Amino acid sequence: FEKLTNNMTQSIESAISLALHNKNQEVVVEHFLWGLLTNHDSILSQMLNKMNVDKTAMELDIKSMAGKLPKSSSVSKENIRLSRSFIQTLEKGVGLMTNNGDNYLAVDTYILANINDEPFSTILTKYLDVMELRKNFEAQRGGAKIESQSADENLESLKKYGIDLTELASAGELSPVIRRDEEIQRVMQILIRKTKN
């Protein structure tokens, strides 16, 4: 657990709370995927929004899969545990993390490591092209390494908190600069003066 990023830890915590809510004795991968789909800030949710994929049907599918899991009336926070299959998927994620040269396991690495296994293969392939998802995750990462527990939170920080003026200009969506010649000239004078000093 010390090798997990903050996002990964939060995702596991939400999977545990979903398992408790669903009265399941063990936390399985279905709970984890369910948690990722219902959390609008998760990396998977953001990527599905970017790809214009409707998540509601996916959520219903994974919810019905979780509904078929064995229930127990005596489930509490103290006696709930991670299933062996879920721990194996985490180990698989750690393997890919090591191959990528990362120090911590991020959610995208975990998904990519287990994308061909259940329930990811069943749910995701039904609604989207898995190869496109893989390419988008790799493009989002841009070769960056996860070297701290909060590193995956900063991957899309520019898009989250800033405006890409170059992108807006190429799309022709920038507001026109009409009758502002004097302001532009003044800015240029100031900038030219700054470089001389």
Side-chain angles (χ1 to χ4, degrees), residues 164-183:
D164 190 347
L165 293 175
T166 310
E167 192 177 297
L168 288 175
S170 64
E173 296 174 4
L174 272 181
S175 57
V177 187
I178 300 171
R179 295 190 205 127
R180 297 178 88 182
D181 292 336
E182 288 178 31
E183 289 176 44

Side-chain angles (χ1 to χ4, degrees), residues 55-142:
K55 294 183 304 207
T56 50
M58 289 174 91
E59 284 180 37
L60 289 171
D61 255 8
I62 198 70
K63 191 175 179 179
S64 72
M65 284 174 100
K68 294 173 186 168
L69 295 168
K71 296 184 187 303
S72 170
S73 57
S74 61
V75 178
S76 68
K77 230 177 181 175
E78 288 75 35
N79 65 8
I80 197 166
R81 63 185 181 275
L82 301 181
S83 70
R84 179 168 286 159
S85 61
F86 186 46
I87 291 170
Q88 286 171 343
T89 62
L90 288 170
E91 288 168 354
K92 202 171 181 183
V94 169
L96 183 60
M97 171 199 86
T98 309
N99 287 347
N100 291 346
D102 295 338
N103 295 339
Y104 293 90
L105 177 61
V107 177
D108 60 340
T109 308
Y110 172 82
I111 293 170
L112 290 175
N114 296 289
I115 205 161
N116 297 324
D117 302 328
E118 292 292 328
F120 291 101
S121 60
T122 308
I123 299 285
L124 297 179
T125 52
K126 196 189 284 188
Y127 299 98
L128 57 95
D129 180 12
V130 175
M131 287 307 293
E132 188 184 344
L133 179 69
R134 186 183 292 273
K135 283 178 190 169
N136 283 338
F137 272 139
E138 286 166 2
Q140 180 185 28
R141 180 71 76 92

Side-chain angles (χ1 to χ4, degrees), residues 11-76:
S11 300
I12 291 174
E13 285 169 2
S14 67
I16 291 169
S17 62
L18 283 169
L20 282 167
H21 176 73
N22 213 33
K23 296 190 184 325
N24 302 127
Q25 193 77 44
E26 290 187 323
V27 179
V28 292
V29 187
E30 283 83 354
H31 294 122
F32 185 80
L33 181 54
W34 187 11
L36 286 177
L37 289 171
T38 52
N39 179 4
H40 300 295
D41 293 331
S42 77
I43 291 172
L44 180 62
S45 245
Q46 290 173 359
M47 189 57 72
L48 293 176
N49 288 339
K50 199 182 213 179
M51 295 170 67
N52 295 321
V53 176
D54 183 29
K55 294 183 304 207
T56 50
M58 289 174 91
E59 284 180 37
L60 289 171
D61 255 8
I62 198 70
K63 191 175 179 179
S64 72
M65 284 174 100
K68 294 173 186 168
L69 295 168
K71 296 184 187 303
S72 170
S73 57
S74 61
V75 178
S76 68

